[in-house]
Coordinates of all heavy atoms in Angstrom, one line a residue:
E1 N -5.7 162.3 155.2 CA -6.2 162.4 156.5 C -7.5 163.1 156.6 O -8.3 162.8 157.4 CB -5.2 163.2 157.5 CG -4.0 162.3 157.7 CD -3.0 163.0 158.7 OE1 -3.4 164.0 159.3 OE2 -1.9 162.4 158.9
K2 N -7.8 164.1 155.6 CA -9.1 164.7 155.6 C -10.2 163.7 155.4 O -11.3 164.0 155.8 CB -9.1 165.8 154.5 CG -8.2 166.9 154.7 CD -8.4 167.9 153.5 CE -7.4 169.1 153.7 NZ -7.6 170.0 152.6
Q3 N -10.0 162.6 154.7 CA -11.0 161.7 154.4 C -11.2 160.6 155.5 O -11.9 159.7 155.3 CB -10.7 161.0 153.0 CG -10.5 162.0 151.9 CD -11.8 162.8 151.6 OE1 -12.9 162.3 151.7 NE2 -11.5 164.0 151.3
G4 N -10.4 160.7 156.6 CA -10.5 159.8 157.6 C -9.6 158.5 157.6 O -9.9 157.5 158.1
Y5 N -8.5 158.7 156.8 CA -7.6 157.6 156.6 C -6.2 157.9 157.3 O -5.9 159.1 157.3 CB -7.4 157.3 155.2 CG -8.6 156.5 154.6 CD1 -9.7 157.2 154.0 CD2 -8.7 155.1 154.5 CE1 -10.7 156.6 153.5 CE2 -9.8 154.5 154.0 CZ -10.8 155.2 153.5 OH -11.9 154.6 152.9
E6 N -5.6 156.9 157.7 CA -4.2 157.0 158.2 C -3.3 156.3 157.3 O -3.6 155.2 156.8 CB -4.1 156.5 159.6 CG -2.9 156.8 160.3 CD -3.0 156.4 161.8 OE1 -4.1 156.3 162.4 OE2 -1.9 156.3 162.5
I7 N -2.1 156.9 157.0 CA -1.1 156.3 156.2 C -0.1 155.5 157.0 O 0.5 156.1 158.0 CB -0.4 157.4 155.3 CG1 -1.4 158.1 154.4 CG2 0.7 156.7 154.5 CD1 -0.8 159.2 153.7
F8 N 0.2 154.2 156.6 CA 1.2 153.5 157.3 C 2.3 153.1 156.3 O 2.0 152.4 155.3 CB 0.6 152.2 157.9 CG -0.3 152.5 159.1 CD1 -1.7 152.7 158.8 CD2 0.2 152.5 160.4 CE1 -2.5 153.0 159.9 CE2 -0.6 152.7 161.5 CZ -2.0 153.0 161.2
D9 N 3.5 153.6 156.5 CA 4.6 153.2 155.7 C 5.4 152.1 156.3 O 6.5 152.3 156.8 CB 5.5 154.5 155.4 CG 6.6 154.3 154.4 OD1 6.5 153.3 153.7 OD2 7.3 155.2 154.3
V10 N 4.9 150.9 156.3 CA 5.4 149.8 157.0 C 5.8 148.6 156.1 O 6.5 147.7 156.5 CB 4.5 149.2 158.1 CG1 4.3 150.2 159.2 CG2 3.1 148.8 157.5
L11 N 5.5 148.7 154.8 CA 5.7 147.6 153.8 C 7.0 147.7 153.1 O 7.6 146.7 152.7 CB 4.5 147.6 152.8 CG 3.2 147.3 153.4 CD1 2.1 147.5 152.3 CD2 3.1 145.9 154.0
K12 N 7.5 148.8 152.9 CA 8.7 149.0 152.1 C 9.9 148.2 152.6 O 10.6 147.6 151.7 CB 9.2 150.5 152.0 CG 8.2 151.3 151.1 CD 8.7 152.8 151.2 CE 7.6 153.6 150.5 NZ 7.8 155.0 150.7
P13 N 10.2 148.1 153.8 CA 11.3 147.3 154.3 C 11.2 145.8 153.9 O 12.2 145.2 153.7 CB 11.3 147.4 155.8 CG 10.6 148.7 156.0 CD 9.6 148.8 155.0
F14 N 10.0 145.3 153.7 CA 9.8 143.9 153.3 C 10.2 143.7 151.8 O 10.5 142.6 151.4 CB 8.5 143.4 153.6 CG 8.1 143.4 155.0 CD1 7.3 144.4 155.5 CD2 8.6 142.4 155.8 CE1 7.0 144.4 156.9 CE2 8.2 142.4 157.2 CZ 7.5 143.4 157.7
F15 N 10.1 144.7 150.9 CA 10.2 144.6 149.5 C 11.3 145.4 148.9 O 11.7 145.2 147.7 CB 8.9 145.0 148.8 CG 7.8 144.2 149.3 CD1 6.8 144.7 150.2 CD2 7.5 143.0 148.7 CE1 5.7 143.9 150.6 CE2 6.4 142.2 149.1 CZ 5.5 142.6 150.1
W16 N 11.9 146.3 149.6 CA 12.9 147.3 149.1 C 14.0 146.6 148.3 O 14.4 147.1 147.3 CB 13.4 148.1 150.3 CG 14.1 149.3 149.9 CD1 15.4 149.6 149.8 CD2 13.5 150.5 149.4 NE1 15.7 150.9 149.4 CE2 14.6 151.5 149.1 CE3 12.2 151.0 149.2 CZ2 14.3 152.7 148.6 CZ3 11.9 152.2 148.7 CH2 13.0 153.1 148.4
D17 N 14.6 145.5 148.9 CA 15.7 144.8 148.2 C 15.3 143.6 147.4 O 16.2 142.9 146.9 CB 16.7 144.4 149.3 CG 17.4 145.6 150.0 OD1 17.6 146.6 149.3 OD2 17.6 145.5 151.2
N18 N 14.0 143.4 147.2 CA 13.6 142.3 146.4 C 13.6 142.5 144.9 O 12.9 143.4 144.4 CB 12.2 141.9 146.8 CG 11.6 140.6 146.2 OD1 12.1 140.2 145.1 ND2 10.7 140.0 146.8
K19 N 14.5 141.8 144.2 CA 14.7 142.1 142.8 C 13.5 141.7 141.9 O 13.4 142.2 140.7 CB 16.0 141.4 142.3 CG 17.3 141.8 142.9 CD 17.6 143.2 142.5 CE 18.9 143.6 143.2 NZ 19.1 145.0 143.0
K20 N 12.6 140.9 142.4 CA 11.4 140.5 141.7 C 10.3 141.6 141.7 O 9.4 141.4 141.0 CB 10.9 139.2 142.3 CG 11.8 138.0 142.0 CD 11.2 136.8 142.6 CE 12.1 135.6 142.4 NZ 11.5 134.4 143.0
V21 N 10.4 142.6 142.6 CA 9.4 143.6 142.7 C 9.9 144.8 141.9 O 11.0 145.3 142.1 CB 9.1 143.9 144.2 CG1 8.1 145.0 144.3 CG2 8.7 142.7 144.9
F22 N 9.0 145.3 141.0 CA 9.4 146.5 140.2 C 9.6 147.7 141.1 O 8.8 147.9 142.1 CB 8.2 146.7 139.2 CG 8.5 147.8 138.2 CD1 9.6 147.7 137.3 CD2 7.7 148.9 138.1 CE1 9.8 148.6 136.4 CE2 7.9 149.9 137.1 CZ 9.0 149.8 136.3
W23 N 10.5 148.6 140.8 CA 10.9 149.7 141.7 C 9.7 150.6 142.0 O 9.6 151.2 143.1 CB 12.1 150.5 141.0 CG 11.8 151.2 139.8 CD1 12.1 150.8 138.5 CD2 11.0 152.4 139.6 NE1 11.7 151.7 137.5 CE2 11.0 152.7 138.2 CE3 10.4 153.3 140.4 CZ2 10.3 153.8 137.6 CZ3 9.7 154.4 139.8 CH2 9.7 154.7 138.5
W24 N 8.7 150.8 141.1 CA 7.6 151.7 141.3 C 6.8 151.2 142.6 O 6.4 152.0 143.4 CB 6.7 151.8 140.1 CG 5.7 152.8 140.2 CD1 5.8 154.1 139.8 CD2 4.4 152.8 140.8 NE1 4.6 154.8 140.1 CE2 3.8 154.0 140.8 CE3 3.7 151.7 141.5 CZ2 2.5 154.3 141.3 CZ3 2.5 152.0 142.1 CH2 1.9 153.3 141.9
Y25 N 6.7 149.9 142.7 CA 5.9 149.4 143.8 C 6.7 149.5 145.1 O 6.2 149.9 146.2 CB 5.6 147.9 143.6 CG 4.6 147.7 142.5 CD1 5.0 147.1 141.2 CD2 3.3 148.1 142.6 CE1 4.2 147.0 140.2 CE2 2.4 147.9 141.5 CZ 2.8 147.4 140.4 OH 2.0 147.2 139.3
K26 N 8.0 149.3 145.0 CA 8.9 149.4 146.2 C 8.9 150.9 146.7 O 8.8 151.2 147.8 CB 10.3 149.2 145.8 CG 10.6 147.7 145.4 CD 12.0 147.5 145.0 CE 12.2 146.2 144.3 NZ 13.6 146.1 143.9
Q27 N 8.9 151.8 145.7 CA 9.0 153.3 146.0 C 7.6 153.8 146.6 O 7.6 154.6 147.5 CB 9.3 154.0 144.7 CG 9.5 155.5 144.9 CD 10.8 155.8 145.4 OE1 11.8 155.2 145.2 NE2 10.8 156.9 146.3
N28 N 6.5 153.2 146.2 CA 5.3 153.9 146.5 C 4.3 153.0 147.4 O 3.1 153.3 147.5 CB 4.5 154.2 145.2 CG 5.3 155.2 144.4 OD1 5.5 156.3 144.8 ND2 5.8 154.7 143.2
M29 N 4.8 152.0 148.0 CA 4.0 151.0 148.7 C 3.7 151.5 150.1 O 4.7 151.5 151.0 CB 4.7 149.6 148.8 CG 3.8 148.6 149.1 SD 4.6 146.9 149.1 CE 5.2 146.8 147.4
V30 N 2.5 151.9 150.4 CA 2.1 152.3 151.7 C 0.6 151.8 151.9 O 0.0 151.4 150.9 CB 2.0 153.9 151.9 CG1 3.4 154.4 151.8 CG2 1.2 154.5 150.8
L31 N 0.2 151.8 153.1 CA -1.2 151.3 153.4 C -2.1 152.6 153.8 O -1.6 153.4 154.6 CB -1.2 150.3 154.6 CG -0.6 149.0 154.3 CD1 -0.6 148.2 155.7 CD2 -1.4 148.2 153.3
F32 N -3.2 152.6 153.3 CA -4.2 153.6 153.7 C -5.3 152.8 154.5 O -5.9 152.0 153.9 CB -4.8 154.3 152.5 CG -3.9 155.2 151.8 CD1 -3.1 154.7 150.7 CD2 -3.8 156.6 152.1 CE1 -2.2 155.5 150.1 CE2 -2.9 157.3 151.5 CZ -2.1 156.9 150.4
V33 N -5.5 153.2 155.7 CA -6.4 152.4 156.5 C -7.3 153.4 157.3 O -6.9 154.5 157.8 CB -5.7 151.6 157.7 CG1 -6.7 150.9 158.5 CG2 -4.7 150.7 157.0
K34 N -8.6 153.2 157.2 CA -9.6 154.0 157.8 C -9.3 154.2 159.3 O -9.0 153.1 159.9 CB -11.0 153.5 157.6 CG -12.1 154.5 157.7 CD -13.3 153.8 157.2 CE -14.4 154.8 156.7 NZ -14.3 155.7 155.7
K35 N -9.2 155.4 159.8 CA -8.8 155.6 161.2 C -9.6 154.8 162.2 O -9.1 154.4 163.2 CB -8.9 157.1 161.5 CG -7.8 157.9 160.9 CD -7.8 159.4 161.3 CE -6.7 160.1 160.7 NZ -6.7 161.5 161.0
T36 N -10.8 154.6 161.9 CA -11.7 153.8 162.8 C -11.5 152.3 162.7 O -12.0 151.6 163.5 CB -13.2 154.2 162.6 OG1 -13.5 153.8 161.2 CG2 -13.5 155.6 162.8
K37 N -10.7 151.9 161.8 CA -10.5 150.4 161.6 C -9.0 149.9 161.7 O -8.7 148.8 161.3 CB -11.0 150.1 160.1 CG -12.4 150.4 159.8 CD -13.4 149.4 160.4 CE -14.7 149.8 159.9 NZ -15.7 148.9 160.5
V38 N -8.2 150.8 162.3 CA -6.8 150.4 162.4 C -6.6 149.3 163.4 O -6.9 149.5 164.6 CB -5.9 151.6 162.7 CG1 -4.5 151.2 162.9 CG2 -6.0 152.7 161.7
P39 N -6.1 148.0 163.0 CA -5.9 147.0 164.0 C -4.6 147.3 164.8 O -3.7 148.0 164.4 CB -5.7 145.8 163.1 CG -5.3 146.3 161.8 CD -5.8 147.7 161.6
E40 N -4.7 146.8 166.0 CA -3.5 147.0 167.0 C -2.3 146.4 166.4 O -1.2 146.9 166.5 CB -3.8 146.3 168.3 CG -4.7 147.2 169.2 CD -4.1 148.5 169.5 OE1 -2.9 148.7 169.8 OE2 -4.8 149.5 169.4
S41 N -2.4 145.3 165.7 CA -1.2 144.7 165.1 C -0.5 145.6 164.1 O 0.7 145.5 164.0 CB -1.6 143.3 164.5 OG -2.5 143.5 163.4
L42 N -1.2 146.4 163.4 CA -0.6 147.3 162.4 C 0.1 148.5 163.2 O 1.1 148.9 162.7 CB -1.7 147.8 161.5 CG -1.2 148.7 160.3 CD1 -0.2 147.9 159.5 CD2 -2.4 149.1 159.5
K43 N -0.6 148.9 164.2 CA 0.0 150.0 165.1 C 1.4 149.6 165.6 O 2.2 150.4 165.8 CB -0.9 150.4 166.1 CG -2.1 151.1 165.7 CD -3.0 151.5 166.9 CE -4.3 152.1 166.4 NZ -5.2 152.4 167.6
N44 N 1.5 148.3 165.9 CA 2.7 147.7 166.6 C 3.8 147.4 165.6 O 5.0 147.0 166.0 CB 2.4 146.5 167.4 CG 1.5 146.9 168.5 OD1 1.6 148.0 169.1 ND2 0.6 146.0 169.0
L45 N 3.6 147.4 164.3 CA 4.6 147.1 163.3 C 5.7 148.2 163.4 O 5.4 149.4 163.5 CB 4.1 147.0 161.9 CG 3.4 145.7 161.5 CD1 2.7 145.9 160.1 CD2 4.3 144.5 161.6
P46 N 7.0 147.8 163.1 CA 8.0 148.8 163.1 C 7.8 149.8 161.9 O 7.4 149.4 160.9 CB 9.3 148.0 163.0 CG 8.9 146.7 162.6 CD 7.5 146.5 162.9
K47 N 8.1 151.0 162.2 CA 8.0 152.0 161.1 C 9.1 151.9 160.0 O 10.1 151.2 160.3 CB 8.0 153.5 161.7 CG 6.9 153.8 162.7 CD 5.6 153.7 162.1 CE 4.5 154.1 163.1 NZ 3.3 153.4 162.9
N48 N 8.9 152.4 158.9 CA 9.9 152.4 157.8 C 11.1 153.0 158.3 O 11.2 154.2 158.7 CB 9.3 153.1 156.6 CG 10.3 153.1 155.4 OD1 11.4 152.6 155.5 ND2 9.9 153.8 154.4
T49 N 12.3 152.3 158.2 CA 13.5 152.8 158.6 C 14.5 153.1 157.4 O 15.6 153.4 157.6 CB 14.2 151.8 159.5 OG1 14.4 150.6 158.8 CG2 13.5 151.6 160.8
I50 N 13.9 153.0 156.2 CA 14.7 153.2 155.0 C 15.0 154.7 154.9 O 14.1 155.5 154.9 CB 14.0 152.7 153.8 CG1 13.8 151.2 153.8 CG2 14.8 153.1 152.5 CD1 12.9 150.6 152.8
T51 N 16.3 155.1 154.9 CA 16.6 156.5 154.9 C 16.7 157.1 153.5 O 16.7 158.3 153.4 CB 18.0 156.7 155.6 OG1 18.9 155.9 155.0 CG2 17.8 156.3 157.1
N52 N 16.9 156.2 152.5 CA 17.0 156.7 151.1 C 15.6 156.9 150.5 O 15.0 155.8 150.3 CB 17.9 155.8 150.2 CG 18.1 156.3 148.9 OD1 17.7 157.4 148.5 ND2 18.9 155.6 148.1
P53 N 15.1 158.1 150.3 CA 13.7 158.2 149.7 C 13.5 157.8 148.3 O 12.4 157.7 147.9 CB 13.5 159.7 149.9 CG 14.8 160.3 149.9 CD 15.8 159.3 150.4
I54 N 14.6 157.6 147.5 CA 14.5 157.3 146.2 C 15.1 155.9 145.9 O 16.4 155.7 146.3 CB 15.2 158.3 145.2 CG1 14.5 159.6 145.4 CG2 15.2 157.8 143.8 CD1 15.2 160.8 144.6
H55 N 14.4 154.9 145.5 CA 14.9 153.6 145.2 C 16.0 153.7 144.2 O 16.0 154.4 143.2 CB 13.9 152.6 144.8 CG 14.2 151.2 144.9 ND1 15.0 150.6 143.9 CD2 14.1 150.3 145.9 CE1 15.3 149.3 144.3 NE2 14.8 149.1 145.5
E56 N 17.1 152.8 144.4 CA 18.2 152.8 143.6 C 17.8 152.5 142.1 O 18.4 153.1 141.2 CB 19.2 151.7 144.0 CG 20.4 151.6 143.2 CD 21.3 150.4 143.6 OE1 21.0 149.7 144.6 OE2 22.3 150.2 143.0
D57 N 16.9 151.6 141.8 CA 16.5 151.2 140.5 C 15.8 152.5 139.8 O 16.0 152.6 138.6 CB 15.5 150.0 140.5 CG 16.2 148.8 141.0 OD1 17.4 148.7 140.9 OD2 15.4 147.8 141.3
L58 N 15.1 153.2 140.5 CA 14.4 154.4 140.0 C 15.5 155.4 139.6 O 15.6 156.0 138.5 CB 13.5 155.0 141.0 CG 12.9 156.5 140.6 CD1 12.3 156.5 139.3 CD2 12.1 157.0 141.7
Y59 N 16.5 155.6 140.5 CA 17.6 156.5 140.3 C 18.4 156.1 139.1 O 18.7 157.0 138.1 CB 18.5 156.6 141.5 CG 19.7 157.5 141.3 CD1 19.6 158.9 141.4 CD2 20.9 156.9 141.0 CE1 20.7 159.6 141.1 CE2 22.1 157.7 140.8 CZ 21.9 159.0 140.9 OH 23.0 159.8 140.6
L60 N 18.7 154.9 138.9 CA 19.4 154.4 137.8 C 18.6 154.6 136.4 O 19.2 154.9 135.4 CB 19.9 152.9 137.9 CG 20.9 152.7 139.0 CD1 21.2 151.2 139.3 CD2 22.2 153.4 138.7
T61 N 17.3 154.3 136.6 CA 16.5 154.4 135.4 C 16.5 155.9 134.9 O 16.6 156.2 133.7 CB 15.0 154.0 135.7 OG1 15.1 152.6 136.0 CG2 14.1 154.2 134.5
I62 N 16.4 156.8 135.8 CA 16.3 158.2 135.5 C 17.7 158.7 135.0 O 17.8 159.4 133.9 CB 15.9 159.1 136.7 CG1 14.4 158.8 136.9 CG2 16.0 160.5 136.4 CD1 13.8 159.3 138.2
T63 N 18.8 158.4 135.7 CA 20.1 158.9 135.3 C 20.7 158.3 134.1 O 21.5 158.9 133.5 CB 21.0 158.8 136.6 OG1 21.2 157.4 136.9 CG2 20.6 159.6 137.7
N64 N 20.3 157.1 133.8 CA 20.8 156.3 132.6 C 19.9 156.5 131.4 O 20.1 155.8 130.4 CB 21.0 154.9 133.0 CG 22.1 154.7 134.0 OD1 23.0 155.5 134.2 ND2 22.0 153.6 134.8
F65 N 19.0 157.4 131.5 CA 18.0 157.4 130.4 C 18.6 157.8 129.1 O 18.1 157.4 128.0 CB 16.9 158.5 130.8 CG 15.7 158.4 129.9 CD1 14.8 157.3 130.1 CD2 15.4 159.3 128.9 CE1 13.7 157.2 129.3 CE2 14.3 159.2 128.1 CZ 13.4 158.1 128.4
R66 N 19.7 158.5 129.1 CA 20.3 159.0 127.8 C 21.2 157.9 127.2 O 21.8 158.0 126.2 CB 21.0 160.3 128.0 CG 20.1 161.4 128.2 CD 20.7 162.8 128.1 NE 19.7 163.8 128.2 CZ 19.8 164.9 129.0 NH1 20.9 165.0 129.7 NH2 18.9 165.7 129.1
E67 N 21.5 156.9 128.0 CA 22.4 155.8 127.5 C 21.7 155.0 126.4 O 20.5 155.0 126.3 CB 22.8 154.8 128.6 CG 23.7 155.4 129.6 CD 24.1 154.4 130.7 OE1 23.8 153.2 130.5 OE2 24.7 154.8 131.7
K68 N 22.5 154.4 125.6 CA 22.0 153.6 124.5 C 21.1 152.5 125.1 O 21.4 151.9 126.1 CB 23.2 152.9 123.8 CG 22.7 152.1 122.6 CD 24.0 151.5 121.9 CE 23.5 150.7 120.7 NZ 24.6 150.0 120.1
N69 N 19.9 152.3 124.5 CA 18.9 151.3 124.9 C 18.2 151.5 126.2 O 17.6 150.7 126.8 CB 19.6 149.9 125.0 CG 20.0 149.4 123.6 OD1 19.5 149.7 122.6 ND2 21.1 148.7 123.5
A70 N 18.3 152.8 126.7 CA 17.8 153.1 128.1 C 16.2 152.9 128.0 O 15.6 152.3 128.9 CB 18.1 154.5 128.5
V71 N 15.6 153.4 127.0 CA 14.1 153.3 126.8 C 13.7 151.8 126.7 O 12.8 151.4 127.4 CB 13.6 154.2 125.7 CG1 12.1 153.9 125.4 CG2 13.8 155.6 125.9
K72 N 14.5 151.1 125.8 CA 14.2 149.7 125.6 C 14.3 149.0 127.0 O 13.5 148.1 127.3 CB 15.2 149.2 124.6 CG 14.9 147.8 124.1 CD 15.9 147.5 123.0 CE 15.6 146.2 122.3 NZ 16.6 145.9 121.3
R73 N 15.3 149.2 127.8 CA 15.6 148.6 129.0 C 14.4 148.9 130.0 O 13.9 148.0 130.7 CB 16.9 149.1 129.6 CG 17.3 148.4 131.0 CD 18.6 148.8 131.5 NE 18.5 150.3 131.8 CZ 19.3 151.2 131.2 NH1 20.1 150.9 130.2 NH2 19.2 152.5 131.6
S74 N 14.0 150.2 130.0 CA 12.8 150.5 130.9 C 11.6 149.8 130.6 O 10.8 149.3 131.4 CB 12.7 152.0 130.9 OG 13.8 152.7 131.3
I75 N 11.3 149.7 129.3 CA 10.1 149.1 128.8 C 10.2 147.5 129.1 O 9.2 146.9 129.5 CB 9.8 149.3 127.3 CG1 9.5 150.7 127.0 CG2 8.8 148.3 126.7 CD1 9.5 151.1 125.6
R76 N 11.4 147.0 129.0 CA 11.6 145.5 129.3 C 11.3 145.3 130.8 O 10.7 144.3 131.2 CB 13.0 145.1 128.9 CG 13.2 143.6 129.0 CD 14.5 143.2 128.5 NE 15.1 143.8 127.4 CZ 16.2 144.5 127.3 NH1 17.0 144.5 128.4 NH2 16.6 145.1 126.2
M77 N 11.8 146.2 131.6 CA 11.6 146.1 133.1 C 10.1 146.1 133.4 O 9.6 145.4 134.2 CB 12.3 147.2 133.9 CG 13.8 147.0 134.0 SD 14.7 148.2 135.0 CE 13.6 149.5 135.4
L78 N 9.4 147.1 132.8 CA 8.0 147.2 133.0 C 7.3 146.0 132.6 O 6.4 145.4 133.2 CB 7.4 148.4 132.3 CG 5.9 148.7 132.4 CD1 5.5 148.8 133.9 CD2 5.5 149.8 131.7
Y79 N 7.6 145.5 131.4 CA 7.0 144.3 130.8 C 7.2 143.0 131.7 O 6.3 142.3 132.0 CB 7.6 144.0 129.4 CG 7.1 142.7 128.7 CD1 5.8 142.7 128.2 CD2 7.9 141.6 128.5 CE1 5.4 141.6 127.6 CE2 7.5 140.5 127.9 CZ 6.2 140.5 127.4 OH 5.8 139.4 126.8
K80 N 8.4 142.8 132.2 CA 8.7 141.8 133.1 C 7.9 141.9 134.4 O 7.4 140.9 135.0 CB 10.2 141.6 133.5 CG 11.0 141.1 132.4 CD 12.5 141.0 132.8 CE 13.3 140.3 131.8 NZ 14.7 140.2 132.2
S81 N 7.8 143.1 134.9 CA 7.0 143.3 136.1 C 5.5 142.9 135.9 O 4.9 142.4 136.8 CB 7.1 144.8 136.5 OG 6.4 145.1 137.7
V82 N 5.0 143.3 134.8 CA 3.6 143.0 134.5 C 3.4 141.5 134.4 O 2.5 140.9 135.0 CB 3.1 143.7 133.2 CG1 1.8 143.2 132.7 CG2 3.0 145.2 133.4
L83 N 4.4 140.8 133.6 CA 4.3 139.3 133.5 C 4.4 138.7 135.0 O 3.7 137.7 135.2 CB 5.3 138.8 132.7 CG 5.2 139.2 131.2 CD1 6.4 138.6 130.4 CD2 4.0 138.7 130.6
H84 N 5.2 139.2 135.7 CA 5.3 138.7 137.1 C 4.0 138.9 137.9 O 3.6 138.0 138.6 CB 6.6 139.3 137.8 CG 6.7 138.8 139.2 ND1 7.1 137.5 139.6 CD2 6.5 139.5 140.4 CE1 7.1 137.5 140.9 NE2 6.9 138.6 141.4
K85 N 3.5 140.1 137.8 CA 2.3 140.4 138.5 C 1.1 139.6 138.1 O 0.4 139.1 139.0 CB 2.0 141.9 138.2 CG 0.7 142.4 139.0 CD 0.9 142.4 140.5 CE -0.3 143.0 141.1 NZ -0.3 142.8 142.5
I86 N 1.0 139.2 136.9 CA -0.1 138.4 136.4 C 0.1 136.9 136.5 O -0.7 136.1 136.2 CB -0.6 138.8 135.0 CG1 0.4 138.6 134.0 CG2 -1.2 140.2 135.0 CD1 0.0 138.9 132.5
G87 N 1.4 136.6 137.0 CA 1.6 135.1 137.3 C 2.2 134.4 136.1 O 2.3 133.2 136.2
I88 N 2.6 134.9 135.0 CA 3.2 134.3 133.9 C 4.7 133.9 134.2 O 5.1 132.8 133.8 CB 3.1 135.1 132.6 CG1 1.6 135.2 132.2 CG2 3.8 134.4 131.5 CD1 1.3 136.1 131.0
I89 N 5.4 134.7 134.9 CA 6.7 134.4 135.2 C 6.9 134.6 136.8 O 6.1 135.2 137.4 CB 7.8 135.3 134.5 CG1 7.6 136.7 134.9 CG2 7.8 135.1 133.1 CD1 8.8 137.6 134.3
K90 N 7.9 133.9 137.4 CA 8.1 134.1 138.8 C 9.4 134.8 139.1 O 10.3 134.8 138.3 CB 8.1 132.7 139.5 CG 6.7 132.1 139.2 CD 6.4 131.2 140.3 CE 5.1 130.5 140.1 NZ 4.2 130.5 141.1

């Protein structure tokens, strides 16, 4: 806010349950908009109603870290997310 931006937490509900989106993006997806440029349509969007502040996939990644193959599984998830992001897989 000191820099003249407003934070809008309106995207998470659209992606929270989408298995194709990596948990990091689901967890941290917000919009930063310059206060002087906020469109009315953005102001009218419903606010984030997700009550769980930690995504289930993040929780499972952290709590299952000591299980066999946990690191391998986390790297595979990241790898798939990157491939999806650059358009190699859908």
Side-chain angles (χ1 to χ4, degrees):
E1 290 186 8
K2 290 181 183 179
Q3 304 299 323
Y5 286 88
E6 192 170 339
I7 299 173
F8 290 90
D9 189 6
V10 295
L11 298 174
K12 288 178 189 168
F14 295 103
F15 300 99
W16 196 256
D17 294 322
N18 186 334
K19 297 292 182 191
K20 294 181 179 181
V21 179
F22 188 60
W23 64 259
W24 190 92
Y25 296 106
K26 297 176 197 182
Q27 184 77 37
N28 299 298
M29 198 177 301
V30 294
L31 291 175
F32 292 87
V33 181
K34 207 166 198 59
K35 285 183 179 180
T36 58
K37 304 282 184 178
V38 177
E40 278 304 311
S41 58
L42 187 57
K43 291 179 183 177
N44 295 329
L45 281 175
K47 301 294 182 215
N48 177 5
T49 57
I50 297 170
T51 55
N52 186 358
I54 298 173
H55 194 275
E56 177 186 2
D57 293 343
L58 169 59
Y59 176 78
L60 291 174
T61 298
I62 292 170
T63 58
N64 293 336
F65 197 73
R66 291 193 175 134
E67 287 183 12
K68 184 179 178 183
N69 297 323
V71 173
K72 191 176 190 179
R73 183 180 63 247
S74 296
I75 291 171
R76 191 177 319 123
M77 283 185 351
L78 178 60
Y79 178 71
K80 283 184 177 182
S81 179
V82 169
L83 291 178
H84 177 69
K85 179 68 176 167
I86 61 177
I88 294 175
I89 63 172
K90 296 207 184 230

